[in-house]
Amino acid sequence: MKKILTTVYAILLVTFSASSQNSDVSIRVYPEKGNQVISKHIYGHFAEHLGSCIYGGLWVGENSPIPNTKGYRTDVLEALKKLQIPNLRWPGGCFADEYHWMDGIGPREKRPKMVNNNWGGTVEDNSFGTHEFLNLCELLDCEPYISGNVGSGTVEELAKWVEYMTSDGDSPMANLRRQNGREKPWKVKYLGVGNESWGCGGDMLPEYYADLYRRYAVYCRNFDGNQLFKIGSGASDYDYNWTDVLMKKAGNKMNGLSLHYYTVKGWGKDQKGSATNFTDEDYYWTLGKSLEIEEVIQKHMSIMDKYDKDKKVGLMVDEWGTWFEVEPGTNPGFLYQQNTMRDAFVAALTLNTFNKYGDRIQMANIAQVVNVLQSMILTKDDKMTLTPTYHVFDMYRVHQDATYLPLDIISQTKEIRGRNVSLVNASASKKDGLTHITLANIDLTNSQNVNIDLSNTKISKVSGRILTSKDIHDHNTFENPNLVQPQTFNGAKIANGKLNVQLPAKSIVVLEIQ
C-alpha cells in the first residue's frame, strides 16, 4: 500500500484548560507532489425508500400543493443542483433487496403496492420508480447508481432491468420502456450487485456471494455503448475476511467493491445517543470514531492490493455517516435525525480523509440525501432547511476532480479513543490554477494560529468561507433555517510568501488561493 501522503510528523501534547488560547499549527503543502485526482464521485449521495427520503423529500407528485417540477420538490431540486451532486445511489440500502423493479414502471395508478418490511412497515405504492429516478438524475446532471436486487431477486430480473434502462435495440425490455413513454435509453454507469449481502441483503457467506456475483456479472450486459461499472457488495466496517474472499474469488470480475462504515456508538435500543443532546465527551468520541475510518480503509485497501496491485478495482464507500437515535416522536423505522455542527465535523474530517486515497477510493455516498440519518436537507410539508452537513459539501465542492496535494501538519493533539488526534485536520487540492485548502479545528474552546507554507508557490490573493456557530449543538430548524450557514472568512493573511490563518474554535474553513 502506498505510504500515507498526509503525515503528522510531530506531536506536541498539551493539557487542555477551560480558558481560550491560541495554539500554533504549521502546515506544509507540496504542490509538486500532486499526482492523483480526487474523484468527484467521492462526494456522492444516497436515496433509499426509507421514511420520507423519497416521498415528501424528493418526490411529491405533480398534483401536490407543494411547489414542484414534474413531481420533484422544486426547493430540494434547486438545492441539490447547487450542490452539484455527482451521483445518486438508489433504491437502497436494505430496501434494494426487496425491490422488484417491474412494480415501479407503467401507469402509476396501476402499480402494485408493497409493504416496506425493512423500514417501518409502511405501504410503498411504487409511484417513484425507474423512470422517476433516472429522470431525476438527468435533471440533476448526475450519474445514477442502481442497487440491484440479489437477496430476493433473480439473475434474469436484474439482467432485464439493465436491458430496460440501457438498450436501444428492438428487444422486449427496450420496447417495454418505449411503451412506458421513454424512447431513448438512459445512460447508467454504476450497477451495485446487491447490498449488504452479509446481512439484510441475504445473510450470505462471502464464498457464496462471490460465486453469485460472478454469475450476475455475466448476465448484466453492456448495451449500445453503455458501459456498466459493476460493484460488488462489500464488507461492513472491520470485516476484512469478506474483502479477502471477494477479491480472491471475484475481484477480477469487478470494477468496484463497496464498504459501509457508520459513526455509531452502538446498535441496541437507546445506545446510539441523541443527535442534539450530547456532552463534550460525546462530541470528541464521535469525531474519534469518524476518524477511525482511515485505519479501516487502509486495511481493506491493503487486502485489495494483494490481489489487485494495479488498483483496477475501486473501493466504493457507498454508505457512511452518523447514526443517532431518531428525533423524539418520530417513527423509529424512519431514521429521521437532526444535524448539528458535530455532524458537519464528521463530514469534514471524513471527506478530508477520502481525498488522500484517490488511487483506490473512486466513490463514496453519504447516508442519506433527505430526511434520513446524516442528511443534506430536511423537509416538513412545504418547509425545507439545509443542514450543516449540506454546507460542508457545498464548501468542499472545490475538491471534486481536482489534483490532490499532499501536506504535513505539526499540531497539538488531543487523546480521543486511545489515540492522539491532531486538533487541526486539513486537505488541499489544485484545479484550474486555483489551490484550495480545507481546514477543520475540532477544538471546542481554543483557536489555532495556523501557518501554511505552499513550498515556494507564489501567493497573490487569498479568500475564504467559514462554517461555525456559537454552540456545537446548533442546528437549523424550519423556524430558524439559517442559524448555521457559511460566512465570508477574513482570517487568512499573506505574510512573507506564506499564509497565516487565525482559525477559530470549532470551525471549518475553505481557503481559495491564487
Side-chain angles (χ1 to χ4, degrees):
M1 184 178 66
K2 267 189 179 180
K3 183 180 178 181
I4 302 170
L5 293 177
T6 300
T7 60
V8 177
Y9 62 85
I11 296 176
L12 307 175
L13 296 178
V14 296
T15 302
F16 282 78
S17 65
S19 62
S20 178
Q21 63 185 35
N22 194 295
S23 307
D24 285 333
V25 177
S26 294
I27 297 176
R28 182 166 184 178
V29 183
Y30 299 93
E32 72 281 3
K33 295 183 180 180
N35 59 10
Q36 64 188 35
V37 173
I38 301 167
S39 172
K40 67 180 180 180
H41 292 292
I42 286 173
Y43 292 80
H45 297 270
F46 174 30
E48 184 170 3
H49 287 247
L50 198 174
S52 56
C53 180
I54 301 294
Y55 302 109
L58 292 169
W59 177 258
V60 292
E62 295 94 332
N63 298 322
S64 173
I66 297 173
N68 67 87
T69 303
K70 300 179 180 179
Y72 308 102
R73 284 188 69 126
T74 302
D75 51 2
V76 172
L77 192 64
E78 293 306 313
L80 294 178
K81 284 181 179 178
K82 181 177 183 293
L83 212 55
Q84 297 177 338
I85 71 173
N87 65 72
L88 186 59
R89 180 173 180 247
W90 173 87
C94 292
F95 181 81
D97 283 285
E98 290 192 4
Y99 181 68
H100 299 283
W101 68 271
M102 293 195 76
D103 293 343
I105 60 173
R108 293 192 192 107
E109 66 275 9
K110 294 184 179 180
R111 297 179 189 179
K113 295 178 177 154
M114 63 176 285
V115 175
N116 190 336
N117 293 305
N118 286 292
W119 305 118
T122 57
V123 174
E124 163 67 54
D125 69 3
N126 283 305
S127 60
F128 188 96
T130 300
H131 289 248
E132 289 77 18
F133 172 67
L134 294 177
N135 290 342
L136 171 62
C137 290
E138 287 188 336
L139 286 171
L140 293 173
D141 192 25
C142 74
E143 294 274 8
Y145 174 7
I146 296 290
S147 290
N149 182 347
V150 171
S152 68
T154 65
V155 173
E156 179 185 15
E157 181 180 18
L158 187 53
K160 286 184 173 179
W161 196 10
V162 171
E163 179 187 339
Y164 183 91
M165 293 184 290
T166 64
S167 174
D168 197 26
D170 184 14
S171 69
M173 292 300 102
N175 288 328
L176 179 59
R177 182 194 69 241
R178 294 183 182 105
Q179 291 173 25
N180 289 327
R182 174 79 181 198
E183 175 62 29
K184 289 296 180 181
W186 294 278
K187 289 294 183 182
V188 176
K189 179 178 180 180
Y190 296 108
L191 179 69
V193 182
N195 167 78
E196 295 190 355
S197 297
W198 40 263
C200 66
D203 197 18
M204 303 174 193
L205 297 176
E207 293 81 4
Y208 176 79
Y209 173 76
D211 286 340
L212 196 58
Y213 173 88
R214 295 173 68 96
R215 185 178 174 211
Y216 273 80
V218 169
Y219 291 101
C220 292
R221 296 187 169 96
N222 297 319
F223 291 96
D224 302 303
N226 187 82
Q227 192 75 26
L228 291 173
F229 186 102
K230 298 170 188 176
I231 301 169
S233 175
S236 174
D237 305 285
Y238 314 98
D239 187 354
Y240 305 112
N241 179 62
W242 184 278
T243 296
D244 192 278
V245 171
L246 262 62
M247 288 299 299
K248 181 179 181 180
K249 291 183 171 292
N252 63 339
K253 305 293 183 183
M254 295 177 182
N255 301 112
L257 181 62
S258 71
L259 172 67
H260 291 178
Y261 184 92
Y262 283 100
T263 297
V264 59
K265 267 195 169 183
W267 294 105
K269 181 176 173 56
D270 300 325
Q271 288 187 1
K272 302 184 190 74
S274 168
T276 56
N277 184 17
F278 52 88
T279 65
D280 290 358
E281 182 181 355
D282 291 332
Y283 162 79
Y284 285 117
W285 187 98
T286 302
L287 298 196
K289 180 66 165 68
S290 72
L291 286 167
E292 281 183 14
I293 195 171
E294 182 160 20
E295 180 180 338
V296 170
I297 62 178
Q298 286 173 1
K299 289 182 177 179
H300 284 288
M301 289 190 299
S302 179
I303 294 167
M304 295 174 77
D305 287 346
K306 281 198 308 181
Y307 303 100
D308 176 33
K309 291 182 173 58
D310 295 329
K311 301 183 187 296
K312 294 180 180 179
V313 182
L315 181 62
M316 326 295 276
V317 192
D318 60 15
E319 288 188 32
W320 67 272
T322 57
W323 194 320
F324 302 118
E325 299 295 341
V326 301
E327 291 305 297
T330 65
N331 187 323
F334 286 3
L335 306 187
Y336 178 84
Q337 67 188 41
Q338 251 297 350
N339 196 295
T340 69
M341 275 295 299
R342 175 174 64 164
D343 296 271
F345 274 100
V346 170
L349 301 184
T350 304
L351 293 172
N352 281 347
T353 299
F354 289 161
N355 287 348
K356 300 179 190 179
Y357 300 100
D359 58 339
R360 182 65 85 176
I361 300 180
Q362 296 186 30
M363 177 187 283
N365 303 77
I366 191 169
Q368 294 183 14
V369 68
V370 188
N371 292 332
V372 173
L373 298 177
Q374 192 177 350
S375 58
M376 303 291 109
I377 298 168
L378 300 176
T379 66
K380 182 180 180 182
D381 302 323
D382 62 346
K383 298 182 179 67
M384 182 197 79
T385 186
L386 306 177
T387 68
T389 297
Y390 175 98
H391 294 308
V392 170
F393 270 75
D394 183 33
M395 293 167 67
Y396 275 53
R397 281 188 295 125
V398 295
H399 289 312
Q400 292 187 20
D401 283 343
T403 298
Y404 174 73
L405 305 181
L407 55 81
D408 291 328
I409 302 175
I410 300 177
S411 171
Q412 294 177 334
T413 65
K414 183 174 178 63
E415 185 177 340
I416 303 176
R417 290 173 61 83
R419 67 180 65 184
N420 289 314
V421 173
S422 174
L423 292 177
V424 174
N425 188 284
S427 186
S429 69
K430 188 170 185 177
K431 182 180 178 182
D432 299 330
L434 298 174
T435 297
H436 292 96
I437 302 176
T438 46
L439 301 164
N441 177 13
I442 70 171
D443 196 324
L444 289 174
T445 306
N446 304 311
S447 62
Q448 309 291 330
N449 178 42
V450 184
N451 294 297
I452 303 175
D453 182 351
L454 274 80
S455 303
N456 299 317
T457 298
K458 184 178 179 181
I459 304 171
S460 60
K461 184 179 179 182
V462 61
S463 59
R465 299 170 73 202
I466 184 170
L467 186 71
T468 188
S469 196
K470 292 181 180 179
D471 193 313
I472 197 65
H473 304 86
D474 283 346
H475 54 279
N476 295 328
T477 65
F478 302 114
E479 296 73 29
N480 190 2
N482 299 314
L483 178 61
V484 181
Q485 61 178 331
Q487 306 289 339
T488 299
F489 179 67
N490 297 315
K493 307 295 180 185
I494 303 170
N496 300 320
K498 300 179 182 179
L499 285 178
N500 177 259
V501 183
Q502 297 301 314
L503 193 61
K506 57 183 182 302
S507 69
I508 300 164
V509 165
V510 58
L511 300 176
E512 181 170 285
I513 302 158
Q514 297 182 26

